[in-house]
């Protein structure tokens, strides 16, 4: 299933498994790109292999393998050793650490076998999230601050059609960008603006050269984003890509005047409770375990990470506490108005007030799950989330 989405190295795993079917004593190990044990690869490849009796004997979690060329290109790899019916102790290597495991699942964790497939809607009763809009404009509908200022200076009347615009990187780094948002601009107003007319004409020309049917169709509306989207109330923004060096993916609330791009996930109808759970280490631990990666950077997704996440069922007092700790995180950020989220969530420069606010929020969320926050490790937390996922997924499949 979905074999077209798998990395080429998957073929070698399949070939080895076929060999093991006729030669059961065979053992194999491959150095592979780390994506083989991340995101949608796990369900697409490993579920089939495990059903054939394959099990993982040992694994080396992600490490960087530098090339010997002068360009120093590098890839991020794992080593996976597997076989049928091997009773030797299971070993997980992680950097210099070597740990004996009761069982190694396809995410290279000491936990039960769980296969997180793509899901189109949330497993729990929470708001949907979706990616922002896609300009498909060759840079003609998006503006730097300097370009925006120059346009407004030459044609003051177009200021009303310029909105703040953010991709994930802009959101994290607090970069100021803008876009032309022309959905309410009449043809007459458009003709009266030479600067915008030129840009819109270039958008149409760019889209007409595409081979994609949807892009060709959007050439008929060159004044609009190729895939337009805006929020009509305050919303939570989650960057699609974030550094693996952060303990918490930086998320936050944005106002509806800001147009989100397609590197930001957006949640409307969002509350402080939703923010508190999503920014907690519980959700971040889940994300680290199941998300895809770009090199080592986290690649958040709605279909794999968010929609498969098992939310707690808090009491009224637990919900109120999560709301309070979530507010404390926002208040701690507000103390450093001159700092971007990149500054605030750098492990070296993270302010103590913010770190303590997050730690209090982590405890509040874990208590809502009934998790022993004093003693539970991240691996134990993910194992519990896998168990909750299986329970909810099985419940839905039997309806």
């Amino acid at each position: 299933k979905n074999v077209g989405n798998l990395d080429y190295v998957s073929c070698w795993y399949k070939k080895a498994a076929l060999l093991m079917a006729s030669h059961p004593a065979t053992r194999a190990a491959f150095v592979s790109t780390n994506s083989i044990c991340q995101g949608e690869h796990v369900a697409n490849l490993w579920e089939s292999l495990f059903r054939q009796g394959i099990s993982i004997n040992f694994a080396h979690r992600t490490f960087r393998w530098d090339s010997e060329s002068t360009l120093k290109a590098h890839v991020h790899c794992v080593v996976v050793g597997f076989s049928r019916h091997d009773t030797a102790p299971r070993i997980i290597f992680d950097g210099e650490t070597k740990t004996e495991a009761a069982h190694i699942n396809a995410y290279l964790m000491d936990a039960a076998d769980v296969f997180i497939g793509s899901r189109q809607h949330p497993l729990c009763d929470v708001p949907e999230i979706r990616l922002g809009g896609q300009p498909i404009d060759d840079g003609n509908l998006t503006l730097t601050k300097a370009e925006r200022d120059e346009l407004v200076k030459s044609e003051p009347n177009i200021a009303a059609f310029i909105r703040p615009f953010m991709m994930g990187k802009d959101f994290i780094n607090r970069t100021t960008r803008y876009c032309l948002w022309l959905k309410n601009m009449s043809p007459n107003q458009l003709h009266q603006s030479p600067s915008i007319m030129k840009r819109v004409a270039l958008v149409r020309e760019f889209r007409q050269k595409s081979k994609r049917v949807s892009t060709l169709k959007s050439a008929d509306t060159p004044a609009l984003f190729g895939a337009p989207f805006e929020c009509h109330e305050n919303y939570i923004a989650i960057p699609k890509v974030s550094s693996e060096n952060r303990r918490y993916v930086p998320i936050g609330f944005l106002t509806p005047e800001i147009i989100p791009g397609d590197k930001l996930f957006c949640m409307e109808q969002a509350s402080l409770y939703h923010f508190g759970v999503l920014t907690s280490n519980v959700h971040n631990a889940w994300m680290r375990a199941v998300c895809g990666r770009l090199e080592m950077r986290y690649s958040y997704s709605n279909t794999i990470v968010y929609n498969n996440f098992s939310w707690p069922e808090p009491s009224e007092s637990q919900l109120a506490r999560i709301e309070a700790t979530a507010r404390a995180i926002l208040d701690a950020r507000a103390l450093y108005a001159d700092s971007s989220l990149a500054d605030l969530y750098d492990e070296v420069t993270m302010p103590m007030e913010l770190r303590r606010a997050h730690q209090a929020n982590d405890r509040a969320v874990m208590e809502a799950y009934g998790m022993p926050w004093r003693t539970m490790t991240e691996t134990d937390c993910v194992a519990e989330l896998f168990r909750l996922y299986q329970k909810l997924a099985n419940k839905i499949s039997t309806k």
Side-chain angles (χ1 to χ4, degrees), residues 284-324:
N284 278 271
W286 170 260
M287 181 274 304
R288 280 188 281 272
V290 305
C291 75
R293 303 271 181 140
L294 292 175
E295 295 178 334
M296 279 297 289
R297 290 170 293 163
Y298 305 131
S299 181
Y300 196 92
S301 71
N302 56 345
T303 55
I304 296 291
V305 179
Y306 180 82
N307 289 348
N308 286 303
F309 180 62
S310 300
W311 288 69
E313 297 180 355
S315 65
E316 288 187 12
S317 61
Q318 289 171 335
L319 189 148
R321 187 176 175 209
I322 293 172
E323 290 176 336

Side-chain angles (χ1 to χ4, degrees), residues 258-307:
I258 299 172
I259 300 297
D262 62 338
K263 298 299 182 183
L264 270 183
F265 282 100
C266 310
M267 177 198 280
E268 294 187 276
Q269 302 176 351
S271 67
L272 281 171
Y273 166 71
H274 295 126
F275 172 77
V277 174
L278 289 177
T279 201
S280 72
N281 194 52
V282 175
H283 183 68
N284 278 271
W286 170 260
M287 181 274 304
R288 280 188 281 272
V290 305
C291 75
R293 303 271 181 140
L294 292 175
E295 295 178 334
M296 279 297 289
R297 290 170 293 163
Y298 305 131
S299 181
Y300 196 92
S301 71
N302 56 345
T303 55
I304 296 291
V305 179
Y306 180 82
N307 289 348

Side-chain angles (χ1 to χ4, degrees), residues 15-173:
K15 293 289 285 185
L18 290 172
L19 180 64
M20 290 172 187
S22 54
H23 299 80
T26 302
R27 302 173 72 191
F30 294 123
V31 180
S32 314
T33 49
N34 61 354
S35 59
I36 201 77
C37 294
Q38 297 169 356
E40 62 181 339
H41 283 75
V42 173
N44 294 348
L45 173 67
W46 287 102
E47 186 170 12
S48 171
L49 295 183
F50 281 22
R51 283 177 177 169
Q52 296 170 39
I54 298 298
S55 62
I56 296 175
N57 308 127
F58 71 90
H60 196 302
R61 290 176 178 157
T62 299
F63 61 95
R64 196 173 81 171
W65 192 351
D66 292 316
S67 74
E68 297 178 0
S69 73
T70 55
L71 295 176
K72 286 297 178 188
H74 58 261
V75 293
H76 291 83
C77 299
V78 294
V79 180
V80 182
F82 59 101
S83 65
R84 299 166 64 97
H85 316 302
D86 193 319
T87 59
R90 269 48 177 165
I91 304 294
I92 298 175
F93 299 88
D94 194 347
E96 299 299 317
T97 304
K98 176 182 176 181
T99 306
E100 188 167 323
H103 178 77
I104 303 176
N105 71 11
Y107 295 95
L108 307 188
M109 300 188 67
D110 184 358
D113 291 329
V114 177
F115 305 99
I116 311 297
S118 179
R119 185 179 296 275
Q120 296 307 307
H121 302 286
L123 195 62
C124 300
D125 184 18
V126 290
E128 304 261 356
I129 67 169
R130 59 156 293 174
L131 282 173
Q134 193 173 10
I136 315 180
D137 64 335
D138 199 27
N140 289 292
L141 296 178
T142 53
L143 309 166
T144 64
K145 185 178 185 301
E147 289 171 331
R148 183 258 184 200
D149 292 345
E150 185 179 345
L151 275 176
V152 172
K153 183 178 180 181
S154 62
E155 299 180 44
N157 291 337
I158 69 173
F161 300 100
I162 297 176
R163 300 267 292 272
F165 174 74
M166 281 189 179
M167 288 288 201
K169 193 173 182 179
D170 305 314
F171 173 72
I172 292 173
N173 294 319

Side-chain angles (χ1 to χ4, degrees), residues 187-228:
N188 179 54
Q189 289 173 310
L190 188 55
H191 274 285
Q192 290 179 17
S193 173
S195 300
I196 295 184
M197 274 293 292
K198 180 180 178 180
R199 286 174 173 268
V200 170
L202 289 171
V203 172
R204 178 175 172 80
E205 182 181 333
F206 172 72
R207 292 177 184 174
Q208 286 177 328
K209 293 178 182 178
S210 176
K211 295 180 180 179
R212 293 180 59 191
V213 174
S214 59
T215 302
L216 287 169
K217 186 176 180 180
S218 70
D220 293 337
T221 54
L224 305 179
F225 275 30

Side-chain angles (χ1 to χ4, degrees), residues 368-384:
Y369 280 97
M371 295 178 178
W373 59 266
R374 287 184 177 86
T375 58
M376 179 172 270
T377 65
E378 181 161 315
T379 299
D380 293 337
C381 176
V382 173
E384 174 63 11

